[in-house]
Amino acid sequence: MKTIFEKIRDGEIPADVIHRDEHCFVFRDISPQAPVHVLIVPNKVIPRIGEAETGDQAILGHLLLTAAKIAADLGLAESGFRVVINNGTHGGETVPHLHVHLLGGRQLTWPPG
Ligand code: 5GP
């Protein structure tokens, strides 16, 4: 069965997709936790970072470089931003399809809840 992000990837459910390339797609989170909150998702279904393999190295690097590029494109380069990957129950993961959260546009606090 497809994950919700595969359905977004395949255009089967609507989302505000702001970028697509050979390795990933990027869309606005449906429940934004900051003025900018987008998800960078690999086209390939890797369930979570803890299950990524050596062969996924190029994809994983691409996700982070894309996060930085999108942050700059969205005007966050100077003010700053955060990238987050939730893994498993204690990590707060809710969708079993690896995704990088990009958050910005307000002062974020630390430690996270
Ligand atoms: P996680 O908790 O797994 O790290 O993050 C999953 C994220 O996906 C959450 O921030 C949630 O708001 C977002 N999300 C879940 N379902 C949808 C959806 O159908 N559309 C969009 N745009 N975001 C979703």
Side-chain angles (χ1 to χ4, degrees):
M1 204 176 78
K2 284 185 174 181
T3 66
I4 195 139
F5 293 168
E6 285 178 278
K7 292 179 183 171
I8 290 172
R9 177 195 67 193
D10 297 344
E12 294 170 6
I13 64 169
D16 187 359
V17 178
I18 61 171
H19 173 86
R20 285 185 189 274
D21 63 46
E22 62 175 327
H23 289 309
C24 73
F25 56 108
V26 181
F27 54 94
R28 293 188 189 275
D29 197 291
I30 202 168
S31 177
Q33 302 301 308
V36 173
H37 185 177
V38 302
L39 302 174
I40 299 101
V41 184
N43 293 328
K44 175 186 174 184
V45 182
I46 302 166
R48 56 194 56 82
I49 190 68
E51 291 177 41
E53 298 171 348
T54 307
D56 296 321
Q57 187 165 337
I59 294 173
L60 299 180
H62 184 79
L63 296 179
L64 292 182
L65 290 170
T66 301
K69 182 179 184 311
I70 298 285
D73 290 349
L74 296 177
L76 301 176
E78 276 194 28
S79 55
F81 56 89
R82 184 174 293 172
V83 293
V84 174
I85 299 175
N86 297 325
N87 189 107
T89 305
H90 280 187
E93 173 202 313
T94 59
V95 178
H97 183 160
L98 178 64
H99 46 284
V100 175
H101 295 257
L102 167 63
L103 299 138
R106 68 170 171 85
Q107 180 63 58
L108 300 170
T109 58
W110 193 264

